[in-house]
Amino acid sequence: MVIWLLTSIKRNKKVSMKEGNFILSLVVDIVLGYLILNLLLQDKNDLAMLLMGILEYIGYLGFTFQAAIVADMICIATFHSYCIYVYAARLFNIQISGLIALLRLFVGRKYNPLRGGIDSCEYTNQELFVGTVAFTILLLLLPTTVMYYTVFTLFRVLSMLVQYVLAKFIYWVQTLPLYVVSLWLTNSTRVAGNVLIEVVRNDEA
């Protein structure tokens, strides 16, 4: 972005509104980063002590840089919950598929992968006994699986929501039209000017 800014200014020999917005947004971003960093350094809480070492120097690059680091830290810190979420989701799907297949066993039916449909089938007593035991085990384990699946799904959704909010805030800070607003507030001629109306007579009429 800095290379683009310098190239554009050198090519156009002036600062356009797009370039001015970028410069002013960058200045506001750095000021916000400095203020947030000082606030964290003054409050000696656990969060400040955790982020102080990481944000001590790179924090002066701007608040959006800090927000990006926080988003990455959240992604790394919640990686284990994401792994458990994937495992719980896969286990939940396997259990549901197993229960559905065993329910067909009790009514004398089975799934035919060649035809892609359900066929009638006669099972022996041994098969019915094994199916009953397996169905009981899967059914009793289902509440535990559902609990893990629900809890870690909520963790996953919460972490994604926080990362989404941080990404939107970074985008909002970087695209805020501060330069245009400042020009409008100062009545600059670059965004406003006088309108001259001249009456032209048509002698031919």
Short mmCIF file of all heavy atoms in Angstrom, two decimals, residues 26-86:
data_model
loop_
_atom_site.label_atom_id
_atom_site.label_comp_id
_atom_site.label_asym_id
_atom_site.label_seq_id
_atom_site.Cartn_x
_atom_site.Cartn_y
_atom_site.Cartn_z
N LEU A 26 -4.48 5.94 7.79
CA LEU A 26 -3.26 5.36 8.36
C LEU A 26 -2.83 6.13 9.61
O LEU A 26 -2.42 5.53 10.61
CB LEU A 26 -2.16 5.38 7.31
CG LEU A 26 -0.83 4.71 7.69
CD1 LEU A 26 -1.05 3.23 7.98
CD2 LEU A 26 0.19 4.90 6.59
N VAL A 27 -2.95 7.46 9.57
CA VAL A 27 -2.59 8.26 10.74
C VAL A 27 -3.51 7.97 11.91
O VAL A 27 -3.07 7.77 13.05
CB VAL A 27 -2.63 9.77 10.38
CG1 VAL A 27 -2.47 10.62 11.62
CG2 VAL A 27 -1.54 10.09 9.36
N VAL A 28 -4.83 7.91 11.64
CA VAL A 28 -5.79 7.59 12.70
C VAL A 28 -5.54 6.19 13.24
O VAL A 28 -5.63 5.94 14.45
CB VAL A 28 -7.23 7.73 12.17
CG1 VAL A 28 -8.24 7.22 13.18
CG2 VAL A 28 -7.52 9.19 11.84
N ASP A 29 -5.19 5.26 12.37
CA ASP A 29 -4.91 3.89 12.77
C ASP A 29 -3.71 3.84 13.72
O ASP A 29 -3.74 3.18 14.76
CB ASP A 29 -4.64 3.05 11.53
CG ASP A 29 -4.45 1.58 11.85
OD1 ASP A 29 -4.78 1.17 12.98
OD2 ASP A 29 -3.97 0.85 10.99
N ILE A 30 -2.65 4.58 13.39
CA ILE A 30 -1.46 4.60 14.25
C ILE A 30 -1.76 5.26 15.59
O ILE A 30 -1.30 4.80 16.64
CB ILE A 30 -0.31 5.30 13.51
CG1 ILE A 30 0.13 4.47 12.29
CG2 ILE A 30 0.87 5.53 14.44
CD1 ILE A 30 1.17 5.14 11.43
N VAL A 31 -2.54 6.34 15.56
CA VAL A 31 -2.89 7.01 16.82
C VAL A 31 -3.72 6.10 17.71
O VAL A 31 -3.49 6.01 18.92
CB VAL A 31 -3.64 8.33 16.52
CG1 VAL A 31 -4.21 8.94 17.80
CG2 VAL A 31 -2.70 9.32 15.84
N LEU A 32 -4.69 5.40 17.11
CA LEU A 32 -5.49 4.46 17.89
C LEU A 32 -4.63 3.34 18.47
O LEU A 32 -4.81 2.93 19.62
CB LEU A 32 -6.61 3.86 17.02
CG LEU A 32 -7.83 4.74 16.76
CD1 LEU A 32 -8.77 4.04 15.79
CD2 LEU A 32 -8.54 5.07 18.05
N GLY A 33 -3.70 2.84 17.66
CA GLY A 33 -2.80 1.80 18.15
C GLY A 33 -1.95 2.27 19.30
O GLY A 33 -1.73 1.54 20.28
N TYR A 34 -1.47 3.50 19.22
CA TYR A 34 -0.66 4.07 20.32
C TYR A 34 -1.48 4.22 21.59
O TYR A 34 -1.03 3.87 22.68
CB TYR A 34 -0.10 5.41 19.87
CG TYR A 34 0.72 6.11 20.94
CD1 TYR A 34 2.02 5.72 21.23
CD2 TYR A 34 0.17 7.17 21.67
CE1 TYR A 34 2.76 6.35 22.20
CE2 TYR A 34 0.90 7.81 22.65
CZ TYR A 34 2.20 7.40 22.91
OH TYR A 34 2.91 8.02 23.88
N LEU A 35 -2.72 4.72 21.45
CA LEU A 35 -3.57 4.91 22.63
C LEU A 35 -3.96 3.59 23.26
O LEU A 35 -3.93 3.43 24.49
CB LEU A 35 -4.83 5.71 22.24
CG LEU A 35 -4.59 7.15 21.79
CD1 LEU A 35 -5.90 7.78 21.35
CD2 LEU A 35 -3.94 7.96 22.89
N ILE A 36 -4.32 2.60 22.43
CA ILE A 36 -4.70 1.29 22.96
C ILE A 36 -3.51 0.63 23.64
O ILE A 36 -3.63 0.00 24.70
CB ILE A 36 -5.26 0.39 21.84
CG1 ILE A 36 -6.57 0.98 21.29
CG2 ILE A 36 -5.50 -1.03 22.34
CD1 ILE A 36 -7.68 1.04 22.30
N LEU A 37 -2.32 0.79 23.06
CA LEU A 37 -1.13 0.19 23.65
C LEU A 37 -0.83 0.81 25.01
O LEU A 37 -0.53 0.10 25.97
CB LEU A 37 0.06 0.38 22.71
CG LEU A 37 1.40 -0.17 23.21
CD1 LEU A 37 1.32 -1.66 23.41
CD2 LEU A 37 2.50 0.18 22.24
N ASN A 38 -0.92 2.14 25.11
CA ASN A 38 -0.69 2.79 26.40
C ASN A 38 -1.73 2.38 27.43
O ASN A 38 -1.43 2.22 28.61
CB ASN A 38 -0.70 4.31 26.23
CG ASN A 38 0.57 4.81 25.55
OD1 ASN A 38 1.59 4.15 25.60
ND2 ASN A 38 0.48 5.95 24.91
N LEU A 39 -2.97 2.19 26.98
CA LEU A 39 -4.02 1.75 27.90
C LEU A 39 -3.74 0.36 28.43
O LEU A 39 -3.92 0.07 29.62
CB LEU A 39 -5.38 1.79 27.19
CG LEU A 39 -6.60 1.38 28.02
CD1 LEU A 39 -6.80 2.37 29.16
CD2 LEU A 39 -7.85 1.34 27.15
N LEU A 40 -3.26 -0.52 27.56
CA LEU A 40 -2.94 -1.88 28.01
C LEU A 40 -1.73 -1.89 28.94
O LEU A 40 -1.67 -2.68 29.89
CB LEU A 40 -2.68 -2.78 26.79
CG LEU A 40 -3.89 -3.14 25.94
CD1 LEU A 40 -3.46 -3.95 24.74
CD2 LEU A 40 -4.92 -3.92 26.76
N LEU A 41 -0.77 -1.02 28.66
CA LEU A 41 0.43 -0.99 29.50
C LEU A 41 0.15 -0.39 30.87
O LEU A 41 0.83 -0.72 31.84
CB LEU A 41 1.53 -0.19 28.79
CG LEU A 41 2.11 -0.84 27.53
CD1 LEU A 41 3.15 0.07 26.91
CD2 LEU A 41 2.71 -2.20 27.83
N GLN A 42 -0.84 0.48 30.98
CA GLN A 42 -1.16 1.08 32.27
C GLN A 42 -1.93 0.12 33.15
O GLN A 42 -1.73 0.08 34.36
CB GLN A 42 -1.96 2.37 32.06
CG GLN A 42 -1.13 3.50 31.48
CD GLN A 42 -1.96 4.74 31.20
OE1 GLN A 42 -3.16 4.75 31.47
NE2 GLN A 42 -1.32 5.77 30.67
N ASP A 43 -2.84 -0.65 32.57
CA ASP A 43 -3.63 -1.60 33.36
C ASP A 43 -2.86 -2.91 33.46
O ASP A 43 -2.70 -3.63 32.47
CB ASP A 43 -5.00 -1.85 32.71
CG ASP A 43 -5.84 -0.58 32.69
OD1 ASP A 43 -5.61 0.26 33.56
OD2 ASP A 43 -6.69 -0.45 31.80
N LYS A 44 -2.38 -3.23 34.63
CA LYS A 44 -1.57 -4.44 34.82
C LYS A 44 -2.49 -5.65 35.08
O LYS A 44 -2.48 -6.27 36.13
CB LYS A 44 -0.62 -4.26 36.00
CG LYS A 44 0.34 -3.08 35.82
CD LYS A 44 1.21 -3.25 34.58
CE LYS A 44 2.20 -2.12 34.44
NZ LYS A 44 3.06 -2.24 33.25
N ASN A 45 -3.32 -5.97 34.09
CA ASN A 45 -4.16 -7.15 34.21
C ASN A 45 -3.57 -8.28 33.38
O ASN A 45 -2.53 -8.13 32.74
CB ASN A 45 -5.60 -6.85 33.78
CG ASN A 45 -5.65 -6.17 32.42
OD1 ASN A 45 -4.76 -6.34 31.62
ND2 ASN A 45 -6.69 -5.41 32.17
N ASP A 46 -4.25 -9.40 33.42
CA ASP A 46 -3.72 -10.58 32.71
C ASP A 46 -3.65 -10.36 31.21
O ASP A 46 -2.71 -10.79 30.54
CB ASP A 46 -4.59 -11.80 33.03
CG ASP A 46 -4.50 -12.18 34.51
OD1 ASP A 46 -3.49 -11.81 35.14
OD2 ASP A 46 -5.43 -12.82 35.02
N LEU A 47 -4.68 -9.71 30.66
CA LEU A 47 -4.69 -9.48 29.22
C LEU A 47 -3.55 -8.57 28.80
O LEU A 47 -2.88 -8.81 27.79
CB LEU A 47 -6.03 -8.87 28.80
CG LEU A 47 -6.20 -8.55 27.31
CD1 LEU A 47 -6.07 -9.82 26.48
CD2 LEU A 47 -7.54 -7.88 27.06
N ALA A 48 -3.31 -7.54 29.58
CA ALA A 48 -2.22 -6.62 29.25
C ALA A 48 -0.87 -7.33 29.34
O ALA A 48 0.00 -7.12 28.50
CB ALA A 48 -2.27 -5.41 30.19
N MET A 49 -0.69 -8.13 30.37
CA MET A 49 0.59 -8.84 30.52
C MET A 49 0.80 -9.83 29.39
O MET A 49 1.93 -10.08 28.97
CB MET A 49 0.63 -9.56 31.87
CG MET A 49 0.57 -8.61 33.07
SD MET A 49 1.88 -7.37 33.07
CE MET A 49 3.32 -8.44 33.27
N LEU A 50 -0.29 -10.41 28.89
CA LEU A 50 -0.18 -11.36 27.79
C LEU A 50 0.19 -10.67 26.48
O LEU A 50 1.02 -11.14 25.72
CB LEU A 50 -1.50 -12.12 27.63
CG LEU A 50 -1.58 -13.11 26.47
CD1 LEU A 50 -0.57 -14.24 26.66
CD2 LEU A 50 -2.98 -13.67 26.35
N LEU A 51 -0.45 -9.53 26.22
CA LEU A 51 -0.24 -8.85 24.95
C LEU A 51 0.92 -7.87 24.98
O LEU A 51 1.36 -7.42 23.92
CB LEU A 51 -1.52 -8.10 24.55
CG LEU A 51 -2.77 -8.95 24.34
CD1 LEU A 51 -3.95 -8.05 24.00
CD2 LEU A 51 -2.55 -9.97 23.24
N MET A 52 1.41 -7.53 26.17
CA MET A 52 2.43 -6.49 26.27
C MET A 52 3.70 -6.89 25.54
O MET A 52 4.29 -6.08 24.83
CB MET A 52 2.73 -6.20 27.75
CG MET A 52 3.71 -5.05 27.95
SD MET A 52 3.90 -4.64 29.70
CE MET A 52 4.50 -6.21 30.34
N GLY A 53 4.13 -8.14 25.74
CA GLY A 53 5.36 -8.56 25.09
C GLY A 53 5.26 -8.59 23.58
O GLY A 53 6.21 -8.28 22.88
N ILE A 54 4.08 -8.96 23.08
CA ILE A 54 3.91 -9.07 21.63
C ILE A 54 3.69 -7.70 20.99
O ILE A 54 4.20 -7.40 19.93
CB ILE A 54 2.74 -10.02 21.32
CG1 ILE A 54 3.03 -11.40 21.90
CG2 ILE A 54 2.49 -10.11 19.83
CD1 ILE A 54 1.92 -12.38 21.72
N LEU A 55 2.91 -6.87 21.66
CA LEU A 55 2.52 -5.59 21.08
C LEU A 55 3.40 -4.42 21.51
O LEU A 55 3.07 -3.27 21.27
CB LEU A 55 1.05 -5.28 21.45
CG LEU A 55 0.02 -6.33 21.06
CD1 LEU A 55 -1.36 -5.90 21.51
CD2 LEU A 55 0.03 -6.56 19.56
N GLU A 56 4.52 -4.72 22.16
CA GLU A 56 5.34 -3.63 22.69
C GLU A 56 5.92 -2.77 21.58
O GLU A 56 5.97 -1.54 21.70
CB GLU A 56 6.45 -4.21 23.56
CG GLU A 56 7.29 -3.13 24.23
CD GLU A 56 8.31 -3.74 25.17
OE1 GLU A 56 8.36 -4.98 25.28
OE2 GLU A 56 9.06 -2.97 25.78
N TYR A 57 6.40 -3.40 20.46
CA TYR A 57 6.97 -2.65 19.34
C TYR A 57 6.02 -2.67 18.14
O TYR A 57 5.88 -1.63 17.48
CB TYR A 57 8.32 -3.26 18.96
CG TYR A 57 9.33 -3.23 20.10
CD1 TYR A 57 9.64 -4.39 20.80
CD2 TYR A 57 9.93 -2.04 20.48
CE1 TYR A 57 10.54 -4.36 21.84
CE2 TYR A 57 10.84 -2.01 21.52
CZ TYR A 57 11.15 -3.17 22.19
OH TYR A 57 12.03 -3.15 23.23
N ILE A 58 5.48 -3.86 17.73
CA ILE A 58 4.66 -3.88 16.49
C ILE A 58 3.38 -3.13 16.65
O ILE A 58 2.72 -2.76 15.72
CB ILE A 58 4.39 -5.34 16.12
CG1 ILE A 58 3.91 -6.13 17.31
CG2 ILE A 58 5.62 -5.99 15.60
CD1 ILE A 58 3.67 -7.54 17.19
N GLY A 59 2.91 -2.82 18.06
CA GLY A 59 1.69 -2.09 18.36
C GLY A 59 1.70 -0.68 17.81
O GLY A 59 0.64 -0.10 17.52
N TYR A 60 2.88 -0.08 17.64
CA TYR A 60 2.97 1.28 17.10
C TYR A 60 2.74 1.30 15.59
O TYR A 60 2.77 2.37 14.99
CB TYR A 60 4.33 1.88 17.43
CG TYR A 60 4.51 2.11 18.92
CD1 TYR A 60 5.30 1.24 19.68
CD2 TYR A 60 3.88 3.17 19.56
CE1 TYR A 60 5.45 1.44 21.04
CE2 TYR A 60 4.03 3.37 20.92
CZ TYR A 60 4.82 2.50 21.65
OH TYR A 60 4.96 2.70 22.99
N LEU A 61 2.55 0.18 14.99
CA LEU A 61 2.22 0.14 13.56
C LEU A 61 0.75 0.40 13.31
O LEU A 61 0.34 0.50 12.16
CB LEU A 61 2.62 -1.22 12.96
CG LEU A 61 4.11 -1.53 12.95
CD1 LEU A 61 4.35 -2.91 12.39
CD2 LEU A 61 4.87 -0.48 12.15
N GLY A 62 -0.06 0.49 14.34
CA GLY A 62 -1.46 0.83 14.15
C GLY A 62 -2.38 -0.13 14.87
O GLY A 62 -2.02 -1.25 15.23
N PHE A 63 -3.62 0.36 15.09
CA PHE A 63 -4.60 -0.46 15.78
C PHE A 63 -5.04 -1.65 14.95
O PHE A 63 -5.33 -2.72 15.49
CB PHE A 63 -5.82 0.40 16.15
CG PHE A 63 -6.89 -0.36 16.86
CD1 PHE A 63 -6.72 -0.78 18.17
CD2 PHE A 63 -8.07 -0.68 16.21
CE1 PHE A 63 -7.70 -1.50 18.82
CE2 PHE A 63 -9.06 -1.40 16.85
CZ PHE A 63 -8.88 -1.80 18.16
N THR A 64 -5.13 -1.48 13.63
CA THR A 64 -5.53 -2.60 12.78
C THR A 64 -4.49 -3.71 12.82
O THR A 64 -4.83 -4.89 12.71
CB THR A 64 -5.73 -2.13 11.33
OG1 THR A 64 -4.53 -1.50 10.86
CG2 THR A 64 -6.88 -1.13 11.25
N PHE A 65 -3.21 -3.33 12.98
CA PHE A 65 -2.16 -4.34 13.11
C PHE A 65 -2.34 -5.11 14.41
O PHE A 65 -2.18 -6.34 14.45
CB PHE A 65 -0.79 -3.67 13.05
CG PHE A 65 0.34 -4.61 12.75
CD1 PHE A 65 0.59 -5.03 11.47
CD2 PHE A 65 1.14 -5.08 13.78
CE1 PHE A 65 1.62 -5.91 11.20
CE2 PHE A 65 2.18 -5.96 13.52
CZ PHE A 65 2.42 -6.37 12.22
N GLN A 66 -2.67 -4.39 15.48
CA GLN A 66 -2.95 -5.06 16.75
C GLN A 66 -4.14 -5.99 16.63
O GLN A 66 -4.13 -7.12 17.14
CB GLN A 66 -3.21 -4.01 17.83
CG GLN A 66 -2.00 -3.19 18.21
CD GLN A 66 -2.34 -2.15 19.26
OE1 GLN A 66 -3.50 -1.88 19.52
NE2 GLN A 66 -1.32 -1.57 19.85
N ALA A 67 -5.20 -5.50 15.97
CA ALA A 67 -6.41 -6.32 15.81
C ALA A 67 -6.11 -7.58 15.01
O ALA A 67 -6.63 -8.67 15.31
CB ALA A 67 -7.52 -5.51 15.15
N ALA A 68 -5.28 -7.46 13.99
CA ALA A 68 -4.91 -8.64 13.19
C ALA A 68 -4.12 -9.64 14.03
O ALA A 68 -4.32 -10.86 13.91
CB ALA A 68 -4.09 -8.20 11.97
N ILE A 69 -3.22 -9.14 14.90
CA ILE A 69 -2.46 -10.04 15.77
C ILE A 69 -3.38 -10.73 16.76
O ILE A 69 -3.26 -11.94 17.02
CB ILE A 69 -1.35 -9.25 16.50
CG1 ILE A 69 -0.29 -8.79 15.50
CG2 ILE A 69 -0.71 -10.10 17.59
CD1 ILE A 69 0.80 -7.97 16.12
N VAL A 70 -4.33 -9.98 17.32
CA VAL A 70 -5.28 -10.58 18.26
C VAL A 70 -6.11 -11.66 17.56
O VAL A 70 -6.37 -12.73 18.13
CB VAL A 70 -6.18 -9.49 18.87
CG1 VAL A 70 -7.32 -10.11 19.66
CG2 VAL A 70 -5.36 -8.58 19.76
N ALA A 71 -6.54 -11.39 16.33
CA ALA A 71 -7.31 -12.39 15.58
C ALA A 71 -6.48 -13.65 15.34
O ALA A 71 -7.00 -14.78 15.47
CB ALA A 71 -7.78 -11.80 14.25
N ASP A 72 -5.21 -13.48 15.00
CA ASP A 72 -4.34 -14.65 14.80
C ASP A 72 -4.12 -15.41 16.10
O ASP A 72 -4.09 -16.65 16.11
CB ASP A 72 -3.00 -14.21 14.22
CG ASP A 72 -3.12 -13.70 12.79
OD1 ASP A 72 -4.13 -14.05 12.14
OD2 ASP A 72 -2.24 -12.96 12.35
N MET A 73 -3.97 -14.68 17.20
CA MET A 73 -3.79 -15.34 18.50
C MET A 73 -5.03 -16.12 18.90
O MET A 73 -4.93 -17.23 19.46
CB MET A 73 -3.44 -14.30 19.57
CG MET A 73 -2.07 -13.67 19.42
SD MET A 73 -1.73 -12.42 20.66
CE MET A 73 -1.80 -13.42 22.15
N ILE A 74 -6.21 -15.56 18.63
CA ILE A 74 -7.45 -16.28 18.92
C ILE A 74 -7.54 -17.54 18.07
O ILE A 74 -7.95 -18.60 18.55
CB ILE A 74 -8.66 -15.36 18.67
CG1 ILE A 74 -8.70 -14.24 19.71
CG2 ILE A 74 -9.96 -16.15 18.70
CD1 ILE A 74 -9.78 -13.22 19.46
N CYS A 75 -7.14 -17.43 16.81
CA CYS A 75 -7.17 -18.60 15.92
C CYS A 75 -6.23 -19.70 16.43
O CYS A 75 -6.58 -20.88 16.42
CB CYS A 75 -6.80 -18.18 14.51
SG CYS A 75 -6.90 -19.50 13.29
N ILE A 76 -5.04 -19.31 16.88
CA ILE A 76 -4.08 -20.29 17.39
C ILE A 76 -4.54 -20.87 18.72
O ILE A 76 -4.45 -22.08 18.97
CB ILE A 76 -2.69 -19.65 17.53
CG1 ILE A 76 -2.15 -19.27 16.14
CG2 ILE A 76 -1.72 -20.60 18.23
CD1 ILE A 76 -0.86 -18.50 16.18
N ALA A 77 -5.07 -20.00 19.61
CA ALA A 77 -5.49 -20.45 20.94
C ALA A 77 -6.69 -21.38 20.89
O ALA A 77 -6.86 -22.22 21.78
CB ALA A 77 -5.79 -19.25 21.83
N THR A 78 -7.54 -21.24 19.87
CA THR A 78 -8.74 -22.07 19.77
C THR A 78 -8.57 -23.21 18.78
O THR A 78 -9.57 -23.83 18.40
CB THR A 78 -9.94 -21.21 19.35
OG1 THR A 78 -9.66 -20.56 18.09
CG2 THR A 78 -10.25 -20.15 20.39
N PHE A 79 -7.33 -23.49 18.38
CA PHE A 79 -7.13 -24.57 17.42
C PHE A 79 -7.50 -25.92 18.01
O PHE A 79 -8.05 -26.78 17.31
CB PHE A 79 -5.67 -24.58 16.95
CG PHE A 79 -5.37 -25.65 15.94
CD1 PHE A 79 -5.83 -25.55 14.65
CD2 PHE A 79 -4.64 -26.78 16.31
CE1 PHE A 79 -5.56 -26.55 13.72
CE2 PHE A 79 -4.37 -27.77 15.39
CZ PHE A 79 -4.83 -27.65 14.09
N HIS A 80 -7.21 -26.13 19.30
CA HIS A 80 -7.54 -27.42 19.92
C HIS A 80 -9.06 -27.61 20.00
O HIS A 80 -9.56 -28.72 19.80
CB HIS A 80 -6.92 -27.50 21.30
CG HIS A 80 -7.48 -26.51 22.27
ND1 HIS A 80 -7.20 -25.16 22.22
CD2 HIS A 80 -8.33 -26.68 23.31
CE1 HIS A 80 -7.85 -24.54 23.19
NE2 HIS A 80 -8.53 -25.43 23.87
N SER A 81 -9.80 -26.51 20.27
CA SER A 81 -11.25 -26.63 20.31
C SER A 81 -11.81 -26.90 18.92
O SER A 81 -12.81 -27.61 18.77
CB SER A 81 -11.88 -25.36 20.88
OG SER A 81 -11.63 -24.25 20.05
N TYR A 82 -11.14 -26.36 17.89
CA TYR A 82 -11.57 -26.67 16.52
C TYR A 82 -11.36 -28.15 16.20
O TYR A 82 -12.21 -28.78 15.57
CB TYR A 82 -10.79 -25.79 15.53
CG TYR A 82 -11.00 -26.18 14.09
CD1 TYR A 82 -12.19 -25.92 13.44
CD2 TYR A 82 -9.99 -26.83 13.38
CE1 TYR A 82 -12.38 -26.28 12.13
CE2 TYR A 82 -10.17 -27.19 12.06
CZ TYR A 82 -11.37 -26.91 11.44
OH TYR A 82 -11.56 -27.28 10.14
N CYS A 83 -10.23 -28.70 16.64
CA CYS A 83 -9.97 -30.13 16.40
C CYS A 83 -11.01 -31.00 17.11
O CYS A 83 -11.52 -31.97 16.53
CB CYS A 83 -8.57 -30.49 16.86
SG CYS A 83 -7.24 -29.70 15.92
N ILE A 84 -11.33 -30.65 18.36
CA ILE A 84 -12.35 -31.41 19.08
C ILE A 84 -13.72 -31.24 18.43
O ILE A 84 -14.52 -32.18 18.38
CB ILE A 84 -12.38 -30.98 20.56
CG1 ILE A 84 -11.03 -31.25 21.21
CG2 ILE A 84 -13.48 -31.70 21.32
CD1 ILE A 84 -10.93 -30.76 22.64
N TYR A 85 -13.99 -30.04 17.92
CA TYR A 85 -15.26 -29.81 17.21
C TYR A 85 -15.37 -30.70 15.98
O TYR A 85 -16.44 -31.31 15.73
CB TYR A 85 -15.35 -28.33 16.82
CG TYR A 85 -16.26 -28.06 15.67
CD1 TYR A 85 -17.65 -28.08 15.83
CD2 TYR A 85 -15.75 -27.76 14.41
CE1 TYR A 85 -18.49 -27.84 14.76
CE2 TYR A 85 -16.59 -27.51 13.33
CZ TYR A 85 -17.95 -27.54 13.52
OH TYR A 85 -18.78 -27.31 12.45
N VAL A 86 -14.30 -30.80 15.20
CA VAL A 86 -14.32 -31.67 14.01
C VAL A 86 -14.50 -33.12 14.42
O VAL A 86 -15.29 -33.87 13.80
CB VAL A 86 -13.03 -31.48 13.19
CG1 VAL A 86 -12.96 -32.49 12.06
CG2 VAL A 86 -12.96 -30.05 12.64
#
